[in-house]
């Protein structure tokens, strides 16, 4: 049995708190559920998936009283809590994140708290991430605020993915769906190592610098000036 949590009535359409209702409605469309029966304060639809009978349930007693209608439906069908998957909004997951989970606490979710009080916690869940309210906005106001525009479009896409994951859980079982959905993506292959470029040829060595010329020999000292040649004296004129 697949249970979607939410609040009945047009005032709660397109609110984050009705993620469970929205996903179950998508499943009903995909599985060709044309008739909903009101039984024990819950809308119940019956379909076939992968050759198995599937019951879709939307409690109509408001979120914080979901436990009673769900418990009554299980009793009428001869099922127990371990036979159901509960779909609900989750503040502690970022918007668009989906997580399958087995057991655990209510985490402040009033619908889960009511289920715990009526049935215990031994059941599977599909948590639809809606993120935390901005700033100091109250969580109750946040989950009950009607979305518009791109925010509503993104929420619709998330719920469509949640419906696909719920069908995978029906087909393959909760554990296998968990393993496949939550498996880490393989790391991208490392790029091939670049081949080392061949070393560039060394440039022609520069010609050796010419050796410095030896210091020139100091110039020879100038020759001493030649001694003056004495002029020849005229012969004395002797008296005869």
């Amino acid at each position: 049995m697949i249970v979607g949590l939410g609040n009945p009535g047009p005032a709660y359409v397109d609110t984050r708190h009705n993620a469970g209702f929205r996903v179950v409605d998508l499943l009903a469309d995909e599985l060709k559920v044309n008739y909903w029966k009101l039984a024990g304060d819950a809308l119940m639809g019956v379909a076939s998936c992968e050759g198995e009978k599937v019951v879709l349930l939307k409690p109509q007693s408001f979120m914080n009283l979901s436990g009673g209608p769900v418990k009554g439906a299980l009793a009428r069908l001869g099922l127990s809590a371990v036979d159901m998957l509960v779909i609900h909004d989750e503040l502690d997951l970022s918007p668009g994140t989906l997580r399958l989970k087995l057991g655990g606490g209510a985490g402040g979710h009033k619908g889960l708290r009511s289920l715990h009080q009526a049935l215990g916690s031994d059941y599977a869940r599909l948590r639809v991430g809606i993120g935390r309210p901005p700033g100091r906005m109250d969580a109750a106001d946040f989950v009950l605020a009607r979305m518009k525009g791109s925010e509503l479009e993104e929420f619709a896409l998330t719920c469509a993915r949640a419906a696909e994951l719920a069908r995978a859980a029906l087909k393959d079982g909760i554990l296998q769906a968990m393993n496949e959905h939550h498996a880490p993506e393989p790391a991208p292959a490392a790029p091939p190592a670049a081949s080392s470029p061949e070393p560039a040829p060394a440039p022609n060595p520069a010609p050796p610098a010419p050796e410095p010329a030896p210091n020139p020999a100091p110039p020879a000292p100038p020759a001493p000036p030649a001694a003056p040649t004495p002029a020849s004296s005229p012969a004395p004129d002797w008296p005869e």
Side-chain angles (χ1 to χ4, degrees), residues 131-203:
R132 284 281 172 182
R136 297 185 178 182
M137 185 178 184
D138 182 72
D141 294 336
F142 177 67
V143 299
L144 296 176
R146 298 188 71 170
M147 295 171 287
K148 299 178 181 178
S150 60
E151 192 174 50
L152 181 57
E153 292 174 3
E154 291 297 326
F155 182 71
L157 291 174
T158 298
C159 289
R161 290 172 41 236
E164 293 176 2
L165 184 54
R167 290 196 66 170
L170 287 173
K171 177 184 176 183
D172 303 321
I174 295 293
L175 292 178
Q176 183 173 336
M178 287 175 64
N179 291 336
E180 292 181 358
H181 178 72
H182 302 321
E185 295 183 2
S195 56
S196 302
E198 295 184 3

Side-chain angles (χ1 to χ4, degrees), residues 16 19-20 23 87-91 93-99 126-131 155 158-159 162:
R16 297 172 179 85
V23 176
I87 305 173
H88 64 91
D89 59 305
E90 179 58 72
L91 285 166
L93 293 177
S94 59
T97 301
L98 303 174
R99 287 289 183 271
L126 172 49
R127 305 158 71 205
V128 180
I130 59 172
F155 182 71
T158 298
C159 289

Side-chain angles (χ1 to χ4, degrees), residues 41 63 72 92 122 134 151 164 195 222:
D41 212 9
M63 180 71 79
D92 291 332
D122 192 16
E151 192 174 50
E164 293 176 2
S195 56

Side-chain angles (χ1 to χ4, degrees), residues 45-140:
V46 180
S48 177
C49 181
E50 305 297 332
E52 298 289 337
K53 177 182 176 181
V54 179
V55 175
L56 305 179
L57 195 78
K58 297 191 294 182
Q60 300 296 292
S61 57
F62 289 94
M63 180 71 79
N64 58 349
L65 298 174
S66 299
V70 174
K71 182 177 181 180
L74 289 173
R76 282 190 294 275
L77 296 168
L79 302 175
S80 62
V82 295
D83 300 312
M84 72 176 179
L85 170 65
V86 176
I87 305 173
H88 64 91
D89 59 305
E90 179 58 72
L91 285 166
D92 291 332
L93 293 177
S94 59
T97 301
L98 303 174
R99 287 289 183 271
L100 286 165
K101 182 179 180 180
L102 289 172
H109 194 289
K110 293 182 179 179
L112 296 180
R113 185 184 304 164
S114 179
L115 289 176
H116 282 28
Q117 292 170 351
L119 299 164
S121 61
D122 192 16
Y123 57 88
R125 311 173 199 177
L126 172 49
R127 305 158 71 205
V128 180
I130 59 172
R132 284 281 172 182
R136 297 185 178 182
M137 185 178 184
D138 182 72

